[in-house]
Amino acid sequence: MQEPLLGAEGLDYDTFPVQPPASPGETPRGGVLQNRRVILATFAAVLGNFSFGYALVFTSPVIPALERSSDPALHLTKNQASWFGSIFTLGAAAGGLSAMALNDLLGRKLSIMFSAVPSAAGYAFMAGAHGLWMLLLGRMLTGFAGGLTAACIPVYVSEIAPPSVRGALGATPQLMAVFGSLSLYALGLLLPWRWLAVAGEGPVLVMILLLSFMPNSPRFLLSRGRDDEALRALAWLRGAAADVRAEFQQIQDNVRKQSSRVSWAEVRDPRVCRPILIALLMRFLQQLTGITPILVYLQSIFSSTAVLLPPEDDAAIVGAVRLLSVLIAALTMDLAGRKVLLFVSATIMFAANLTLGLYVQLGPRSQSANGTVGLEGMFLEATEQPPATPPSYLTLVPLLATMVFIMGYAMGWGPITWLLMSEILPLRARGVASGLCVLVSWLTAFVLTKSFLPLVNTFGLQTPFFFFAAVCLLSLVFTGCCVPETKGRSLEQIEAFFHTGRSSFLH
């Protein structure tokens, strides 16, 4: 599985020894205290992911409240509620598109800080909303900020972290996004919906304050000719006791080789386009596994398949499973490796989606003649006319299978695709390509989310689950054939690997 990266022979692969020696600037494995400044800078950055996770599920407690609102200007119809939930993904796609320019224009750190402007404005619009247009605008602005941070934060974290802890730190964006979602669910039990929007401003302000004291990425600074500033930034990140001269020289040499921005003609070069295509396909396949529509319509799926537990408990249960699974991924990513976790993750998601599809196809049905006919109406009216619960332990299957699916996603294809995106993209195209990956990801999420209900109403609820299961099988093949193992490798080593142009990479 790791042979393409570790077993190839020849001078071009000398940068990938089986046991790569630690550079003078690299912290030994387990040196958490010595990495405390990197951890602090990472924490400051991933607060943007906390806001992203918070904003993503903001509609979960807000839509029911607005559907019951006595204010005619704020009372949501079912169609309006659908747009209020899904317009976030369009904003995120626009944020990813903007990141293609801002990531290289402003730099990674300043782009993350810039995301605070639309985020704070979006929460302000929603907190003071007096009409639907303010709700939709606020939702789109927070989505824009989320898409921007999703493209910039993984790149920033990967460029400041030493190889020994880059896997663990690379999982923190996903971890903080999950924690942000859990915080929203918890606050939703205590605060009115307007105060939920006000509370969303807090993490944004803390992020701005902390990032003001953090350095920019040394690789970005070197690419802009700011060598002295880059050296100071690297020395601060590695600590006063670290000798960063060898690491700085390695980064500097790599940046000088690619001092100009990539041209469209060069994009056709396999050494450049191959890692970009791998990153794009990973983001595309990640969404096609079904994560976004399953989370968006989770309560409605449970209602239509008649589970034993109350639907209002589902969000907390699934959120806790997501948090635990991302923690597992963060702790094991630098031990087991990226590919092993991707294989395990895709296998678990395949089994869960197949189980859900078979349950809907063959399991207990609701009181209606056909449990899937008219499901679109059932989704929209699930709280008004819940189906009867069959007296069988089989009714635990949807909840258990969904928990297994979330666990599989959160320990592999959730965090690792973001990490690998930031690791394998060429330095010259990293800012633009990461934004393109986010754009593809969220456009795919929007199409899936908007088409899920019509597909279910036409072909039945089991159909999308069988499709998601097939995508998980395709993800297994894609991982085995195309994804390199990057555990313990510096970004310069990874880039040197792609520049060999060896065809054995795909075998």
Side-chain angles (χ1 to χ4, degrees):
M1 184 168 52
Q2 297 180 356
E3 183 177 355
L5 191 58
L6 302 179
E9 299 178 355
L11 295 176
D12 287 334
Y13 283 80
D14 286 343
T15 54
F16 287 86
V18 176
Q19 295 292 337
S23 65
E26 181 180 325
T27 306
R29 185 182 300 276
V32 176
L33 293 179
Q34 298 180 29
N35 282 317
R36 60 187 181 275
R37 291 184 176 180
V38 173
I39 294 173
L40 177 60
T42 298
F43 173 76
V46 298
L47 282 173
N49 288 98
F50 180 96
S51 298
F52 170 74
Y54 188 96
L56 179 64
V57 299
F58 180 78
T59 53
S60 180
V62 173
I63 285 180
L66 292 179
E67 288 177 336
R68 298 189 300 266
S69 176
S70 58
D71 186 348
L74 292 174
H75 179 78
L76 294 183
T77 65
K78 298 300 180 181
N79 184 55
Q80 291 170 339
S82 175
W83 276 105
F84 184 46
S86 61
I87 201 171
F88 180 92
T89 59
L90 289 180
L97 185 64
S98 299
M100 296 171 64
L102 294 178
N103 224 345
D104 289 328
L105 181 64
L106 299 180
R108 292 43 160 148
K109 188 188 84 166
L110 289 182
S111 295
I112 299 170
M113 296 178 71
F114 175 77
S115 71
V117 176
S119 182
Y123 284 124
F125 272 111
M126 290 188 288
H130 296 292
L132 177 63
W133 72 271
M134 295 183 72
L135 292 172
L136 295 179
L137 179 58
R139 184 79 173 140
M140 177 168 277
L141 285 172
T142 55
F144 180 91
L148 182 58
T149 56
C152 299
I153 291 175
V155 175
Y156 178 74
V157 172
S158 71
E159 290 186 348
I160 66 172
S164 59
V165 295
R166 194 174 61 242
L169 294 181
T172 56
Q174 181 77 6
L175 179 64
M176 288 297 285
V178 173
F179 190 62
S181 298
L182 278 176
S183 300
L184 186 282
Y185 291 139
L187 290 176
L189 301 175
L190 304 173
L191 299 178
W193 68 270
R194 290 188 187 274
W195 282 102
L196 287 177
V198 174
E201 303 278 12
V204 177
L205 297 177
V206 176
M207 179 189 73
I208 285 289
L209 179 63
L210 291 180
L211 277 178
S212 299
F213 298 96
M214 299 299 115
N216 213 322
S217 160
R219 288 171 175 83
F220 169 77
L221 294 174
L222 281 170
S223 70
R224 291 297 179 268
R226 296 150 66 179
D227 293 21
D228 293 340
E229 188 178 349
L231 181 58
R232 290 195 299 270
L234 186 62
W236 187 90
L237 289 166
R238 299 297 182 259
D243 184 357
V244 299
R245 288 173 296 179
E247 183 181 5
F248 180 78
Q249 186 64 47
Q250 183 185 38
I251 297 172
Q252 190 177 48
D253 290 343
N254 182 262
V255 170
R256 284 175 176 171
K257 291 176 183 177
Q258 305 184 51
S259 56
S260 60
R261 297 183 64 179
V262 66
S263 65
W264 285 111
E266 291 175 301
V267 169
R268 295 194 297 268
D269 187 339
R271 297 175 297 178
V272 176
C273 72
R274 185 175 295 159
I276 294 176
L277 286 176
I278 290 174
L280 284 172
L281 286 172
M282 287 191 72
R283 301 300 306 151
F284 182 63
L285 289 172
Q286 183 205 47
Q287 288 296 337
L288 288 183
T289 59
I291 182 62
T292 301
I294 286 177
L295 288 179
V296 168
Y297 299 116
L298 183 62
Q299 182 172 330
S300 300
I301 292 172
F302 284 156
S303 297
S304 67
T305 51
V307 296
L308 292 178
L309 296 179
E312 57 268 21
D313 294 342
D314 297 335
I317 295 174
V318 171
V321 171
R322 288 179 68 197
L323 182 61
L324 177 63
S325 302
V326 175
L327 281 172
I328 293 173
L331 294 174
T332 59
M333 204 177 296
D334 282 320
L335 298 175
R338 282 59 154 160
K339 291 187 70 168
V340 170
L341 289 179
L342 286 176
F343 277 121
V344 173
S345 173
T347 302
I348 291 175
M349 289 191 294
F350 166 75
N353 276 319
L354 183 62
T355 301
L356 283 167
L358 291 175
Y359 178 85
V360 175
Q361 181 76 31
L362 306 174
R365 297 182 181 273
S366 62
Q367 284 183 325
S368 60
N370 186 337
T372 60
V373 173
L375 189 57
E376 183 173 8
M378 182 184 296
F379 273 20
L380 297 178
E381 305 292 344
T383 57
E384 301 175 14
Q385 187 66 36
T389 303
S392 170
Y393 288 111
L394 283 176
T395 54
L396 287 173
V397 170
L399 176 60
L400 294 177
T402 304
M403 290 172 61
V404 170
F405 172 83
I406 295 297
M407 178 183 69
Y409 173 83
M411 69 184 296
W413 276 83
I416 294 179
T417 52
W418 290 108
L419 173 62
L420 276 171
M421 177 190 77
S422 61
E423 288 182 326
I424 68 176
L425 290 177
L427 176 64
R428 297 171 63 189
R430 192 166 292 161
V432 173
S434 62
L436 182 61
C437 288
V438 173
L439 174 65
V440 168
S441 178
W442 285 108
L443 285 179
T444 306
F446 177 76
V447 171
L448 279 179
T449 305
K450 293 301 290 182
S451 63
F452 186 80
L453 291 180
L455 180 66
V456 168
N457 200 40
T458 304
F459 299 104
L461 180 58
Q462 71 278 7
T463 302
F465 287 125
F466 288 146
F467 172 76
F468 298 151
V471 171
C472 292
L473 284 180
L474 181 61
S475 300
L476 283 170
V477 176
F478 174 78
T479 301
C481 295
C482 302
V483 178
E485 179 57 73
T486 60
K487 181 186 71 172
R489 311 298 169 186
S490 71
L491 298 185
E492 285 67 40
Q493 289 175 324
I494 296 169
E495 189 150 347
F497 167 72
F498 280 105
H499 273 72
T500 60
R502 292 286 291 272
S503 61
S504 60
F505 166 68
L506 294 177
H507 300 288

